[in-house]
Structures are given as structure tokens and as C-alpha cells.
């Protein structure tokens, strides 16, 4: 009997270098659907790459979480929480 792989949804908060690297890794996965990238800067490399891939970009985390429910959120801003 074949095993069906479950796809997980993911949001990335932070579109800088860390967010960009995570986006590159997860967007290549057949098990993950990246639903959004959040960053206040339209110029952030992760935001630009997300747009190239057709992934939603937003500037507000709260809006992202309300409008695009996901299984997991990765915080990649590098800002202490």
C-alpha cells in the first residue's frame, strides 16, 4: 500500500537573507506549500523572490495570519522576541 505524503502550509515572517534562504528551501519541497512572506520592505530579497514564485507578500503579520491560515509560521527576522 502506497503512503500518501501530507502537504503542510507555511508562512515566513522576515524577507531578508534568512527568510530568502528558507523560501528557497521550502519552495523546492513537494511537502510544503509556502502561503506568504511578510516583511515591511518591498525591496527585501525574500519578498522579491516570493513575488517571482507567485507567493503572497504582505507587510503585516497579523493580517497574514488572519487571511492566510497556515500549519506553521517561521519567524526569520532576527529580531529578539
Amino acid at each position: 500500500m502506497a503512503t500518501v505524503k501530507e502537504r503542510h502550509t507555511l508562512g515566513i515572517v522576515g524577507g531578508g537573507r534568512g527568510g530568502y534562504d528558507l523560501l528557497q528551501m521550502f519552495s523546492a519541497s513537494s511537502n510544503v506549500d509556502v502561503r506568504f512572506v511578510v516583511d515591511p520592505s518591498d525591496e527585501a530579497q525574500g519578498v522579491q523572490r516570493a513575488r517571482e514564485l507567485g507567493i503572497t507578500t504582505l507587510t503585516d503579520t497579523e493580517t497574514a495570519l488572519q487571511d492566510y491560515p497556515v500549519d506553521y509560521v517561521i519567524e526569520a527576522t532576527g529580531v529578539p522576541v
Side-chain angles (χ1 to χ4, degrees), residues 20-46:
Y20 174 87
D21 289 343
L22 289 166
L23 176 60
Q24 289 291 91
M25 179 179 67
F26 285 117
S27 66
S29 171
S30 61
N31 297 329
V32 177
D33 178 21
V34 180
R35 300 215 46 221
F36 62 78
V37 173
V38 176
D39 197 280
S41 173
D42 282 343
E43 301 301 315
Q45 59 187 331

Side-chain angles (χ1 to χ4, degrees), residues 7-67:
R7 286 184 63 84
H8 298 280
T9 56
L10 174 73
I12 299 172
V13 178
R17 183 64 194 191
Y20 174 87
D21 289 343
L22 289 166
L23 176 60
Q24 289 291 91
M25 179 179 67
F26 285 117
S27 66
S29 171
S30 61
N31 297 329
V32 177
D33 178 21
V34 180
R35 300 215 46 221
F36 62 78
V37 173
V38 176
D39 197 280
S41 173
D42 282 343
E43 301 301 315
Q45 59 187 331
V47 170
Q48 292 178 2
R49 181 65 179 138
R51 288 186 180 140
E52 291 170 2
L53 295 170
I55 295 169
T56 299
T57 61
L58 302 112
T59 57
D60 179 65
T61 303
E62 192 172 323
T63 300
L65 295 172
Q66 288 175 354
D67 295 348

